[in-house]
């Protein structure tokens, strides 16, 4: 097909044209073949479209630098959508520079109403990145993340030098450096694609980073952030709630070229957002990706927002805190049809989910009140106790609106064993919104293991490819699991009373990069 300025764009299609259309946009220095594994899986259910971005593959190469501007790339995408999905909004899945240009498209007016959802991988909006750097550099606490990203982005400065980057690609040095940084998953980019694609950086980066504009996204956005990306840090990719009010974030074990490394994971994550945007119930993976209350999410039927009430699906999603409070007064966590045994629900005693309806006062609050050292949280809304703030398990009625609590809505937690610690951990996770089980066919997000079966669960988590967390008591086994499964987080439960150890575990899980909090 032909873009607005006459540039010819090579397009490939697969799957059923009557199904929802998913358009995959590649980055630099790739061509559309980077999507082969992902497209093959998505084509089983969707109409999948891939195309060579201008300057790459079989598409034309503009003779002038301004031919690579983001507005021209948006016109290419518009021409593709007009051809492959003229009467129905399409879903975008994009990687690297394909994601950068897709952010520009979904936050502009040119394609308003033409895009149904957007899954971004390893590519931020340049305008968002400009605002991100400015915000971080204003205060000392943000200097570390900003400097780390600047180190990761140092190659961009090299690409601005005339002639030298072209020479590095033509001599083979560029390909060797790319392979050293990213491994075999980077593939073998064509020299012509690498050379012409340099104009993407030269035509856009300086102007957008130095004069960023506010560009909010109205469509549902999912960010898939590889934790081993040597070019884009997870912090830069995922800190976009300001610009994407309907946001899901997944931090995935893997490198920059994760579409080649784990096409099954990328296809599954993308398909879950497409299904949801098309009206299906929100999957457990998506609920987990928005857990923590940091995002505002509109479900498919336009229901609840604010990240507090989860979009409960018909297959037994975990009950929201508000519904638990309304139904039971917060005196005990809720067991769904196949959830944790009742004895686990009772095990937390009084320190599970205090509500405004008058649940029994927790032991931590009693301890704080009896010593007179801290104010007591009353039903009338007195200041929150230090113990409850430190635990961050359940928000109290007096919690300030901007205070974020550790919530685990959408998480599946498996507890093995019958120890006091196992029961305390089960009750604590249930009170924080997680679905707690003894085991089952689904791959859990967190395992608290008291039976020595952590390695079996670790293998299942690694096969799923979305990370996970293991809690066990043996430090030696924990070290072995960290070595054998580097994509997982392994926590040693530690000593002390079962209830205190359970609270420490929840804090450790909440701090972890996979927790989405």
């Amino acid at each position: 097909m032909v873009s607005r300025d006459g540039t010819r764009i090579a397009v490939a299609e697969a799957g059923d044209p009557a199904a929802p259309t998913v358009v995959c946009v590649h980055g630099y220095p790739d061509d559309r073949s980077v999507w082969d594994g992902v497209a093959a899986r998505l084509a089983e259910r969707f109409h999948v479209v891939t195309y060579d971005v201008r300057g790459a593959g079989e598409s034309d190469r503009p003779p002038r630098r301004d031919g690579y501007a983001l507005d021209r790339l948006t016109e290419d995408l518009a021409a593709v959508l007009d051809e492959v999905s003229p009467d129905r909004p399409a879903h975008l899945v994009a990687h690297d520079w394909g994601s950068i240009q897709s952010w520009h498209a979904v936050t502009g007016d040119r394609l308003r109403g033409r895009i149904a959802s957007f899954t971004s991988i390893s590519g931020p909006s340049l305008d968002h990145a400009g605002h991100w750097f400015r915000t971080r550099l204003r205060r000392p606490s943000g200097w570390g993340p900003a400097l780390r990203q600047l180190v990761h982005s140092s190659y961009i400065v090299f690409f601005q030098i005339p002639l030298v980057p072209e020479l590095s690609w033509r001599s083979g040095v560029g390909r060797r450096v790319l392979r050293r940084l990213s491994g075999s998953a980077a593939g073998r980019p064509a020299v012509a694609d690498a050379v012409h694609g340099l104009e993407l950086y030269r035509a856009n980066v300086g102007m957008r980073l130095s004069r960023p504009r506010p560009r909010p996204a109205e469509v549902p956005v999912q960010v898939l952030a590889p934790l081993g990306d040597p070019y884009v840090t997870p912090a830069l990719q995922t800190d976009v709630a300001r610009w994407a009010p309907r946001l899901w974030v997944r931090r995935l074990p893997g490198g920059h070229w994760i579409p080649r490394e784990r096409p099954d994971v990328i296809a599954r994550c993308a398909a879950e957002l497409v299904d949801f945007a098309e009206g299906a119930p929100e999957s457990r993976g998506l609920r987990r990706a928005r857990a923590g209350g940091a995002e505002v999410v509109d479900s498919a039927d336009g229901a609840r927002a604010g990240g507090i009430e989860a979009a409960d699906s018909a297959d037994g999603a975990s009950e929201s805190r508000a519904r638990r409070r309304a139904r039971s007064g917060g005196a005990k966590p809720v067991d769904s049809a196949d959830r944790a045994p009742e004895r686990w629900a009772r095990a937390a005693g009084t320190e599970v989910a205090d509500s405004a309806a008058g649940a029994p006062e927790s032991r931590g609050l009693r301890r704080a009140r009896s010593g007179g050292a801290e104010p007591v949280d009353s039903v009338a809304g007195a200041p929150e106790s230090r113990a409850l703030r430190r635990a961050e398990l359940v928000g109290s009625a007096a919690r300030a609106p901007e205070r974020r609590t550790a919530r685990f809505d959408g998480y599946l937690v498996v507890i093995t064993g019958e120890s006091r610690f196992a029961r305390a951990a089960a009750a604590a996770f249930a009170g924080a919104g997680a679905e707690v089980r003894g085991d089952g066919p689904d791959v859990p997000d967190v395992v608290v293991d008291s039976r020595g079966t952590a390695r079996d669960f670790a293998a299942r988590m690694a096969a799923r490819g979305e990370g996970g967390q293991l809690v066990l008591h043996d430090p030696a086994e924990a070290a072995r699991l960290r070595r054998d499964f580097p994509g997982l987080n392994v926590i040693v439960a530690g000593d002390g009373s079962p209830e205190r150890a359970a609270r420490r575990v929840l804090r450790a899980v909440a701090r972890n990069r996979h927790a989405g909090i």
Side-chain angles (χ1 to χ4, degrees):
M1 44 70 61
V2 180
S3 188
R4 182 178 181 181
D5 65 352
T7 302
R8 295 178 303 168
I9 304 297
V11 183
E13 297 180 78
D16 181 4
T21 297
V22 179
V23 178
C24 300
V25 191
H26 72 81
Y28 174 86
D30 299 310
D31 57 26
R32 67 178 186 263
S33 66
V34 74
W35 295 112
D36 285 351
V38 175
R41 290 163 172 82
L42 290 176
E44 297 174 1
R45 299 181 49 222
F46 305 110
H47 176 216
V48 181
V49 177
T50 60
Y51 69 95
D52 288 327
V53 173
R54 58 172 58 203
E58 299 176 279
S59 293
D60 285 351
R61 292 162 170 79
R64 295 167 50 90
R65 179 170 297 174
D66 58 8
Y68 291 87
L70 287 172
D71 288 340
R72 303 289 82 76
L73 298 170
T74 298
E75 291 172 0
D76 295 347
L77 177 58
V80 171
L81 294 177
D82 289 342
E83 183 71 24
V84 302
S85 187
D87 303 320
R88 184 177 183 180
H91 305 266
L92 292 185
V93 181
H95 174 249
D96 188 77
W97 258 96
S99 184
I100 291 174
Q101 73 172 73
S102 295
W103 271 110
H104 188 75
V106 302
T107 57
D109 296 328
R110 177 70 174 81
L111 292 177
R112 190 180 302 275
R114 300 297 310 281
I115 299 171
S117 72
F118 173 38
T119 294
S120 168
I121 311 166
S122 292
S125 161
L126 293 182
D127 291 277
H128 298 170
H131 286 290
W132 186 86
F133 276 112
R134 291 185 176 200
T135 301
R136 293 299 174 280
L137 293 175
R138 286 194 188 108
R139 58 183 188 272
S141 61
W143 294 352
L147 290 175
R148 280 192 292 273
Q149 181 56 59
L150 287 172
V151 171
H152 282 259
S153 302
S154 57
Y155 69 96
I156 296 177
V157 178
F158 173 70
F159 285 171
Q160 305 299 320
I161 302 172
L163 301 178
V164 178
E166 286 89 340
L167 180 61
S168 71
W169 282 113
R170 291 192 171 103
S171 66
V173 173
R175 182 179 288 176
R176 288 195 293 273
V177 172
L178 182 69
R179 198 171 186 86
R180 179 181 293 273
L181 290 174
S182 303
S184 60
R188 296 179 62 84
V191 172
D193 294 350
V195 169
H196 288 92
L198 292 169
E199 299 299 338
L200 292 167
Y201 294 88
R202 294 165 178 171
N204 298 291
V205 172
M207 178 183 65
R208 293 289 171 178
L209 291 181
S210 61
R211 295 187 296 275
R213 302 174 183 175
R215 296 184 69 92
E218 298 178 356
V219 304
V221 174
Q222 175 177 223
V223 174
L224 305 181
L227 295 168
D229 195 323
Y231 311 107
V232 188
T233 61
L236 178 61
Q237 295 181 65
T238 61
D239 190 7
V240 291
R242 173 185 178 186
W243 309 110
R246 292 185 289 173
L247 177 67
W248 291 259
V249 172
R250 304 196 205 205
R251 298 163 175 84
L252 304 178
H256 181 78
W257 270 275
I258 195 171
R260 281 200 183 104
E261 295 172 355
R262 294 301 305 267
D264 55 328
V265 176
I266 299 302
R268 184 175 68 248
C269 293
E272 288 180 5
L273 183 62
V274 172
D275 287 338
F276 180 68
E278 291 288 330
E282 190 180 30
S283 68
R284 182 169 65 88
L286 286 178
R287 291 200 304 274
R288 182 180 66 246
R290 66 176 174 85
E295 303 89 16
V296 178
V297 180
D298 295 336
S299 65
D301 57 358
R304 302 173 296 270
I308 296 175
E309 287 237 14
D312 298 337
S313 64
D315 59 354
S318 54
E319 190 176 29
S320 72
R321 181 181 63 179
R323 289 179 59 191
R324 286 200 305 274
R325 186 168 64 237
R327 182 181 61 79
S328 64
K332 60 182 182 180
V334 177
D335 296 335
S336 65
D338 56 353
R339 209 165 294 176
E342 185 180 356
R343 62 179 177 277
W344 285 351
R346 294 195 304 266
T350 60
E351 203 162 12
V352 175
D354 292 348
S355 74
E361 187 180 38
S362 71
R363 183 170 62 86
L365 289 178
R366 288 201 307 275
R367 183 175 64 247
R369 178 168 56 80
S370 63
E374 299 178 1
V376 178
D377 288 352
S378 69
V379 177
E384 181 183 63
S385 77
R386 180 170 59 86
L388 191 56
R389 288 200 306 273
R390 185 175 64 246
E392 288 194 17
L393 296 181
V394 180
S396 71
R399 188 177 298 278
E402 68 275 8
R403 180 73 181 184
R404 295 197 298 178
T405 60
R407 297 290 301 166
F408 294 94
D409 304 281
Y411 278 68
L412 174 59
V413 180
V414 166
I415 312 286
T416 69
E418 298 292 336
S419 66
R420 287 180 57 200
F421 168 73
R423 293 196 297 271
F429 274 109
E435 179 179 350
V436 182
R437 298 180 183 173
D439 196 2
D442 296 331
V443 181
D445 306 299
V446 181
V447 172
V448 180
D449 180 45
S450 298
R451 290 180 178 170
T453 57
R455 181 166 292 272
D456 296 336
F457 286 106
R460 290 159 60 181
M461 290 176 173
R464 180 182 60 184
E466 291 189 51
Q469 306 201 58
L470 302 160
V471 180
L472 61 160
H473 296 276
D474 185 353
E477 177 63 9
R480 289 190 290 268
L481 290 174
R482 292 190 187 104
R483 179 196 63 205
D484 297 340
F485 300 96
L488 307 181
N489 185 50
V490 184
I491 301 167
V492 177
D495 300 324
S497 71
E499 290 77 16
R500 183 173 299 176
R503 291 196 296 272
R504 284 200 307 268
V505 165
L506 255 69
R507 291 197 296 272
V509 171
R511 284 194 301 266
N512 180 252
R513 58 197 176 191
H514 303 298
I517 297 177

